[in-house]
Amino acid sequence: MNIVLLKEKFLPKKILCSLIGHRLVTTKNITEHIREYKCSCCGLELTNNYKGIKSILTPELKDVNITVMDFYHRRHHRQTA
């Protein structure tokens, strides 16, 4: 049997991510430098903070990201129009 299948079958997903690491997938591009990520294994959501370091996506950070995305798209679309 494949080692990955054994690990996923016998270890809970959170323990698997803590041992091996998260499998991050980009879910949303806020700006060129800010993105939202989600672990495809355990479902943990992350985002870049103001220093560029990945941190856990809280409801407050989600609201900030929506606001930043709105400002960024307004400014970007005005310059190209």
Side-chain angles (χ1 to χ4, degrees):
M1 189 176 271
N2 192 353
I3 295 173
V4 175
L5 292 175
L6 284 173
K7 288 179 183 177
E8 290 179 356
K9 185 176 181 180
F10 294 111
L11 292 174
K13 292 181 178 182
K14 290 185 179 185
I15 294 173
L16 183 66
C17 284
S18 66
L19 292 175
I20 297 173
H22 294 285
R23 297 177 193 160
L24 297 178
V25 177
T26 303
T27 56
K28 191 184 293 184
N29 290 328
I30 307 299
T31 65
E32 295 175 5
H33 304 290
I34 301 173
R35 291 178 176 83
E36 289 183 3
Y37 305 95
K38 186 173 185 176
C39 177
S40 62
C41 186
C42 69
L44 178 70
E45 293 180 329
L46 301 168
T47 188
N48 299 3
N49 64 9
Y50 64 96
K51 293 183 180 180
I53 301 169
K54 291 181 182 71
S55 60
I56 296 175
L57 185 63
T58 61
E60 292 85 14
L61 285 176
K62 192 175 273 195
D63 289 340
V64 168
N65 282 350
I66 291 170
T67 305
V68 169
M69 185 173 60
D70 185 42
F71 284 138
Y72 178 77
H73 286 292
R74 282 186 194 175
R75 183 175 182 190
H76 184 68
H77 288 297
R78 283 187 188 164
Q79 289 179 354
T80 58

